[in-house]
Amino acid sequence: MSALADSLRAVPLFRELSKKDLERLADSMHERRFAAGDEVVLEGQGGIGFFVVLDGHARVTVHGEDRGTIGPGEYFGEMAVIDGGARSATVRAEDDVRCGAMTAWNFRPFVREHPDVAWSLLTTLVKLARAADERQPAAS
């Protein structure tokens, strides 16, 4: 199995995939590296990439507000890839970060063919929506 496929095996989103499917996923991804301080994605800009953090940590901000860090096994960019809209957050490398990156034209068919991955993405998006609702002030 390729080194990238081995790294992807540890990602909870892909835990149900067979060895063959992990290899196929790895073949459709490109490894990207970012130095500490580099912007990986910028809020408000268009985005066609989905990223899985393989090594390192990145800081996530929304409207300048810190939303925490993400690290190995976590992913981002799924919303912009799913709906073709602008990035909803800025992600900046805190230290050297290695990611697996996939374009929308590879991501969409892969998710359609793997319902377990689609379901995991749905549950993540629901969690994000609930967290956003909790941050909203109550209407008066």
Side-chain angles (χ1 to χ4, degrees):
M1 191 153 53
S2 72
L4 182 53
D6 265 343
S7 294
L8 293 171
R9 177 178 296 287
V11 177
L13 178 63
F14 305 126
R15 92 178 61 181
E16 302 297 324
L17 296 180
S18 68
K19 181 178 176 180
K20 177 182 171 186
D21 286 339
L22 275 172
E23 282 291 347
R24 197 169 134 242
L25 176 63
D27 288 345
S28 68
M29 294 185 119
H30 295 86
E31 190 172 299
R32 300 277 316 268
R33 293 178 181 267
F34 302 91
D38 286 354
E39 279 181 352
V40 182
V41 298
L42 183 62
E43 181 179 3
Q45 291 191 341
I48 58 167
F50 167 76
F51 297 85
V52 177
V53 179
L54 302 172
D55 295 306
H57 293 87
R59 172 89 33 209
V60 178
T61 58
V62 175
H63 305 301
E65 181 182 318
D66 183 27
R67 296 293 170 88
T69 60
I70 55 176
E74 296 180 285
Y75 56 90
F76 58 96
E78 72 280 3
M79 290 180 10
V81 169
I82 289 169
D83 73 359
R87 298 286 184 192
S88 61
T90 293
V91 177
R92 186 181 312 274
E94 290 234 304
D95 48 24
D96 291 344
V97 172
R98 183 174 66 102
C99 294
M102 179 186 274
T103 60
W105 48 91
N106 287 326
F107 179 83
R108 288 179 184 145
F110 187 85
V111 171
R112 282 187 193 116
E113 294 169 16
H114 297 88
D116 289 336
V117 172
W119 188 255
S120 185
L121 284 168
L122 281 171
T123 58
T124 297
L125 292 173
V126 167
K127 287 176 188 172
L128 290 170
R130 289 186 190 281
D133 283 347
E134 289 172 7
R135 285 190 296 274
Q136 296 297 317
S140 41

